[in-house]
Amino acid sequence: MLVKTLLWTATLLLLAVFGARAETALERGAYLVNSVLACGACHTSDAPGAQPFAGGRRFVTIAYTAHAANLTPEKETGLGNWTDEQLIYGLRNGKRPRGSTIGWPMPVASFSALSDEDVKAVVAFLRSLPEVTNKTPRSTYRKPLPASYGPDVTSVTSVPESDRLAYGRYLATIASCTYCHSRPGEDGAPDFKNGLAEGGREFRGPWGQSLAPALTPTAIGFYSDADLKMIIRTGMRPDGRKLLPPMPIAQFAGMKDGDVEAIVGWLRTLK
Ligand code: HEC
Ligand code: HEC
């Protein structure tokens, strides 16, 4: 009897979690990773014929030379030896199973906001990738990395999609809009408290230099909602000027209408 009741409770819970959304955890994970979290913008090499998520992109700044790791389930060179729990903990807290810190520019401050449901979906998707053997070089950092990025994040409740403002803020956080577009604090992490969406992070690359501008109403108020949707998904401004990298346009192109709208709606409410 007890077993039966437990089984029923489990079934009902599953229905409550997945029933409301007509998509499986794997589908949700694929959408998040490919079109919102933009893992592939860094973890896929830009060399022709490179295997998706098998690592290889190199970031060179004055402060570091970093190599984005292989995220496929291969055991020696990928994430095959990490348990699901270790991967979930690592994404949110920027830690490897043995305790070392995962370094810049991995946007840990974005992923620490991932809800329990969404972070599990991300892991389900990563586990479904074909195994690829590709050993990426070790990253080097001039200054030692912080021992931690903040208090341990172990559980985050889901933000209901029906709460459009809260959901817009959630998406803008996990999609790293606020990571790149907030003023960096002294430690290099985005200062969400005093500089939220106020702009100021600088990037250098083969394209030269770019600066993530403020996304506050004073800064982007002259764009219509349709303009902003176009900029975010195509990287093209209404006057035809293309955005410089590294905003992950190729990934955001697949973002659902309702999700871009929720982000824009939230940006409109900023001070
Ligand atoms: C802006 C670029 C960027 C994005 C976006 C990004 N990463 Fe990373 N990631 C990196 C870099 C660079 C490293 C290597 C850091 C180091 O060597 O300390 C890394 C390291 C990691 C590691 C540690 C792997 C290991 O073997 O040590 C994991 C796990 C990881 N990323 C997963 C993800 C996932 C999942 C996503 C999307 C949800 C993601 N990353 C998005 C740049 C990025
Ligand atoms: C990896 C960093 C990065 C991420 C993530 C990112 N952006 Fe950007 N964004 C930039 C940079 C850099 C520019 C400036 C490009 C240029 O100078 O042409 C920019 C430009 C923009 C612009 C154009 C502003 C103007 O004044 O014309 C908008 C709007 C924008 N981003 C919105 C977003 C939103 C919304 C998200 C999240 C869905 C996002 N960005 C995620 C780096 C980023």
Side-chain angles (χ1 to χ4, degrees):
M1 187 59 203
L2 181 62
V3 173
K4 240 188 181 167
T5 318
L6 282 177
L7 272 177
W8 258 112
T9 317
T11 315
L12 286 177
L13 272 176
L14 277 176
L15 280 176
V17 173
F18 297 114
R21 203 179 265 139
E23 71 191 334
T24 62
L26 184 59
E27 285 163 352
R28 172 79 177 159
Y31 169 67
L32 286 174
V33 168
N34 289 313
S35 306
V36 181
L37 308 171
C39 314
C42 297
H43 286 275
T44 300
S45 159
D46 36 24
Q51 298 279 349
F53 306 105
R57 270 204 68 179
R58 190 170 63 119
F59 302 84
V60 185
T61 74
I62 1 177
Y64 55 78
T65 298
H67 301 269
N70 179 354
L71 302 185
T72 73
E74 201 276 326
K75 279 196 186 308
E76 300 305 318
T77 63
L79 301 177
N81 282 328
W82 299 37
T83 64
D84 288 1
E85 289 70 30
Q86 287 171 336
L87 190 44
I88 289 173
Y89 184 83
L91 283 176
R92 285 171 161 171
N93 298 285
K95 291 263 182 207
R96 297 189 184 83
R98 288 201 189 142
S100 62
T101 301
I102 300 173
W104 320 110
M106 168 86 175
V108 176
S110 309
F111 304 149
S112 58
L114 280 168
S115 71
D116 296 347
E117 199 185 329
D118 282 347
V119 82
K120 282 181 197 152
V122 166
V123 169
F125 173 73
L126 293 177
R127 299 303 195 200
S128 78
L129 294 171
E131 291 180 28
V132 179
T133 305
N134 180 33
K135 189 159 177 53
T136 52
R138 238 176 188 287
S139 306
T140 49
Y141 296 88
R142 285 204 152 187
K143 269 204 271 171
L145 291 166
S148 94
Y149 289 106
D152 257 19
V153 178
T154 51
S155 181
V156 179
T157 38
S158 301
V159 179
E161 281 188 42
S162 53
D163 185 344
R164 302 309 286 161
L165 276 188
Y167 197 63
R169 181 190 182 122
Y170 173 70
L171 289 172
T173 308
I174 63 172
S176 294
C177 318
T178 54
Y179 189 98
C180 287
H181 287 274
S182 295
R183 197 162 3 94
E186 265 176 36
D187 56 358
D191 185 350
F192 292 151
K193 266 218 184 82
N194 306 306
L196 186 67
E198 286 182 359
R201 195 173 282 274
E202 276 184 25
F203 302 89
R204 282 165 219 270
W207 65 88
Q209 201 175 334
S210 58
L211 180 85
L215 297 182
T216 49
T218 10
I220 55 165
F222 57 89
Y223 288 132
S224 68
D225 287 4
D227 289 345
L228 286 171
K229 272 174 79 172
M230 180 181 82
I231 298 172
I232 295 163
R233 286 200 293 207
T234 66
M236 187 73 87
R237 295 189 178 88
D239 63 8
R241 280 178 308 137
K242 276 185 87 168
L243 295 193
L244 293 171
M247 188 157 141
I249 303 304
Q251 279 79 14
F252 292 163
M255 209 188 277
K256 292 176 194 161
D257 275 339
D259 286 358
V260 202
E261 283 157 11
I263 292 176
V264 170
W266 175 69
L267 289 174
R268 297 293 196 205
T269 68
L270 294 175
K271 291 275 160 344

